[in-house]
Amino acid sequence: MNDLLPFLPEQLNQVFDGIKYFMPEIYLSALFLLILVTDLLFGKTSGWLCKTVACVGLLLVVFKDLDQFKLIQTDPHLFFSHMLLLHKTSWLFKLMIDVLGIPLLLYFGWDDDLKSHKKGLSDLYSISIAAVFGMHLMVMSVNLLSIYLSVEMLSIASYLMVAYRAGNGLSSEAGLKYVLFGAASSAIMLYGISLLYGFGGTLDLIGGNLIPGLMHVNPLAVTLALTLVLAGIGFKLSFVPMHFWVPDIYQGAPSPVAAFLSTVTKIAAFGLLINFLIPFISTTSTPWTAFDFQLFLSIVGIITMIAGNFAATLQNNIKRMLAYSSIGHTGFALMAIVTFTTQGISALTFYLLAYALANIGAWMLASYFSNTAQAENIDDYKGLGFKYPLAGVCFVIILISLTGLPITAGFYGKFVVFSSVYAVYQSGHNIWLLLLMITGAVTTVVSLFYYIKVPLNLFLRKTDRTPGFAPSNSFLLTSIAIITLLIVLLGVFPDILIK
């Protein structure tokens, strides 16, 4: 113990110096405790109060994110003993997660199945804030230990969210499956991390001797270790073959939880993937050749786009269709990653924002039609476009954006991704980049076949079914309309966000 005393002042100074880069996370920690105390003080009647505290608190976190902008104007900042890294991409991803988290928190109280649960929603808001905290850590982690801890923090919160409706058989089944699959993927990733630590002698991805250490190890062993870690990250991204859990979990989970998992969680996972790749793709004196990340991610992206989009064409349940659609979008987003350029990362950022907005809107509409007309399957949507014209029109626009057609944010998002990949292809004529672009174009056409089934049933098909229509939720419909407007606005004026 006495041997460590001389190092304590230096360690404490590093902690204090890093606090200014960690202020949004400190606010999230305080917000989590505040929601817990509010729930304890006011009991089951505290749902609306916990929602208010969570949304206002997350809005304050957004302002703290904006305050950090001046900290990223120079060089990226490593802090907390090289555990975390704050740079422009991680800052943007944190900002997107927090901004998108506010409508998602509001959405929890607008889903009838979730709202009617006897436990209330107070616990769900605290769990969601804990998940956001874990996502913040994910997009900043550059140490193998902090990567694992942040993933586990998000995973535990996600398990609780999926199984929140404990009395519902489908939700309980989804929660159990998610825990089992998640535990297996965590074990796989942890084994890969232990191998990397054994080979490299350090946990630091940046600033350590990991890469030089790995270069002296058998390439097959290094390939195995990296593949295991990427499999763990791929579980959160839901790329093939780590996608098998998505349809059942998304169908069994409450719609707001599925929206949460398919948007902000995916943004955090992409941020983590970028951080993990940085030391391997950065220019060094000795080029990294033991594992071809571009080849690996290109093959995974191609297979993921094909599997997700073609499987979605076979679905009739709206939640399963959106689940497979989410897998397909993951494959498309990987196109931007494999460019390994700043243009590609910029394109990925815009694409993820456009996708997240449209996906949240689609899940909100799934809840809206489930609440009002008990419509769970696409066939149940027949004729509902005339009964609910505003919701029907919004659904059409949102699905147009998810497909990637003008004049929506989704179109511009796919355009900038294709542009970034083509720019790299021109310089090197890599056959895998060409195959990625071809697959992306073909699967975009394929997506039309399953997305178009929704407007086809809404407006062009009639039904003899006479459901007992429930009153529509004006707050939910207003949020859907605002999201639809933002999608069109970003499609017409993308320069608002891309300079």
Side-chain angles (χ1 to χ4, degrees):
M1 181 65 183
N2 292 331
D3 295 337
L4 298 176
L5 290 177
F7 300 98
L8 285 179
E10 181 182 355
Q11 294 295 321
L12 288 174
N13 287 334
Q14 288 185 9
V15 171
F16 290 133
D17 290 341
I19 287 177
K20 63 182 177 181
Y21 306 113
F22 202 65
M23 288 307 298
E25 291 69 37
I26 292 175
Y27 272 60
L28 281 171
S29 303
L31 179 59
F32 172 75
L33 296 175
L34 181 59
I35 296 172
L36 281 180
V37 171
T38 302
D39 185 24
L40 290 173
L41 292 177
F42 294 94
K44 290 185 179 180
T45 60
S46 65
W48 66 272
L49 188 56
C50 288
K51 176 198 284 190
T52 304
V53 171
C55 292
V56 173
L58 201 52
L59 185 61
L60 290 176
V61 174
V62 169
F63 285 116
K64 295 307 298 182
D65 289 333
L66 294 174
D67 285 343
Q68 283 193 324
F69 182 74
K70 58 181 178 292
L71 298 177
I72 60 169
Q73 294 303 301
T74 55
D75 296 327
H77 297 277
L78 279 167
F79 58 103
F80 292 164
S81 301
H82 290 194
M83 297 286 284
L84 302 175
L85 174 68
L86 182 65
H87 52 90
K88 184 177 180 180
T89 302
S90 63
W91 175 80
L92 282 172
F93 279 28
K94 286 199 303 179
L95 185 61
M96 282 198 296
I97 290 167
D98 295 338
V99 170
L100 293 170
I102 296 173
L104 285 168
L105 289 175
L106 294 172
Y107 179 24
F108 289 150
W110 294 335
D111 183 77
D112 285 354
D113 289 339
L114 193 56
K115 184 173 60 176
S116 61
H117 188 58
K118 62 181 181 180
K119 287 194 301 186
L121 298 180
S122 303
D123 293 338
L124 190 57
Y125 294 116
S126 58
I127 295 169
S128 302
I129 296 301
V132 172
F133 182 84
M135 286 184 270
H136 272 229
L137 296 182
M138 282 176 66
V139 301
M140 293 191 297
S141 294
V142 288
N143 180 285
L144 294 174
L145 178 60
S146 62
I147 285 174
Y148 180 74
L149 292 176
S150 61
V151 168
E152 284 304 290
M153 181 176 293
L154 174 60
S155 296
I156 293 171
S158 300
Y159 303 153
L160 295 173
M161 292 172 72
V162 169
Y164 193 77
R165 294 182 302 174
N168 183 286
L170 197 60
S171 182
S172 298
E173 180 186 351
L176 180 60
K177 287 181 179 178
Y178 196 25
V179 170
L180 293 175
F181 294 152
S185 71
S186 294
I188 290 171
M189 183 173 70
L190 186 59
Y191 184 52
I193 287 173
S194 67
L195 289 176
L196 290 178
Y197 176 61
F199 295 154
T202 180
L203 293 170
D204 290 339
L205 291 175
I206 297 177
N209 295 314
L210 180 65
I211 304 301
L214 294 180
M215 287 182 175
H216 292 89
V217 180
N218 188 310
L220 288 178
V222 176
T223 298
L224 173 63
L226 291 173
T227 302
L228 293 176
V229 176
L230 289 172
I233 298 174
F235 181 82
K236 290 300 177 188
L237 285 173
S238 66
F239 61 56
V240 175
M242 307 302 293
H243 71 294
F244 48 84
W245 60 276
V246 173
D248 290 340
I249 276 65
Y250 282 21
Q251 183 181 10
S255 294
V257 173
F260 190 94
L261 295 177
S262 63
T263 53
V264 289
T265 299
K266 191 160 291 190
I267 291 172
F270 271 109
L272 178 60
L273 178 60
I274 291 170
N275 287 343
F276 183 74
L277 293 175
I278 285 175
F280 297 99
I281 63 177
S282 300
T283 302
T284 59
S285 57
T286 306
W288 174 262
T289 57
F291 185 87
D292 192 338
F293 285 95
Q294 190 174 59
L295 174 62
F296 177 84
L297 294 175
S298 295
I299 294 173
V300 167
I302 290 170
I303 297 174
T304 302
M305 281 189 280
I306 294 172
N309 285 285
F310 278 91
T313 61
L314 306 176
Q315 307 306 312
N316 185 42
N317 182 274
I318 188 68
K319 296 175 77 172
R320 292 186 72 88
M321 187 201 78
L322 290 174
Y324 279 110
S325 164
S326 175
I327 295 170
H329 281 281
T330 295
F332 194 92
L334 285 173
M335 289 176 59
I337 290 284
V338 299
T339 61
F340 299 151
T341 62
T342 55
Q343 182 186 358
I345 299 303
S346 177
L348 174 68
T349 304
F350 187 91
Y351 179 79
L352 288 177
L353 177 61
Y355 158 76
L357 281 174
N359 211 45
I360 291 172
W363 282 102
M364 283 184 172
L365 281 159
S367 287
Y368 180 84
F369 284 111
S370 177
N371 293 347
T372 56
Q374 297 82 50
E376 302 293 339
N377 297 322
I378 298 174
D379 290 342
D380 298 334
Y381 283 39
K382 291 178 180 178
L384 293 182
F386 296 102
K387 181 67 178 178
Y388 305 103
L390 179 58
V393 171
C394 288
F395 217 154
V396 173
I397 295 173
I398 284 171
L399 293 178
I400 286 174
S401 183
L402 286 173
T403 306
L405 300 178
I407 53 171
T408 60
F411 167 76
Y412 193 79
K414 289 198 170 185
F415 173 76
V416 292
V417 170
F418 274 120
S419 298
S420 64
V421 177
Y422 183 69
V424 177
Y425 171 74
Q426 275 190 315
S427 62
H429 292 89
N430 187 311
I431 185 64
W432 289 106
L433 295 180
L434 178 61
L435 290 175
L436 272 172
M437 290 188 289
I438 293 172
T439 306
V442 171
T443 52
T444 295
V445 175
V446 171
S447 68
L448 278 171
F449 288 93
Y450 59 85
Y451 284 135
I452 203 172
K453 290 193 292 186
V454 175
L456 185 66
N457 282 279
L458 283 172
F459 293 105
L460 298 179
R461 289 182 180 170
K462 297 181 181 180
T463 180
D464 296 330
R465 189 172 68 98
T466 56
F469 294 108
S472 60
N473 188 317
S474 58
F475 293 109
L476 182 57
L477 187 57
T478 301
S479 297
I480 292 167
I482 292 173
I483 289 174
T484 305
L485 184 62
L486 284 174
I487 288 171
V488 175
L489 185 65
L490 289 176
V492 177
F493 304 106
D495 291 342
I496 295 174
L497 297 180
I498 292 186
K499 301 297 183 183

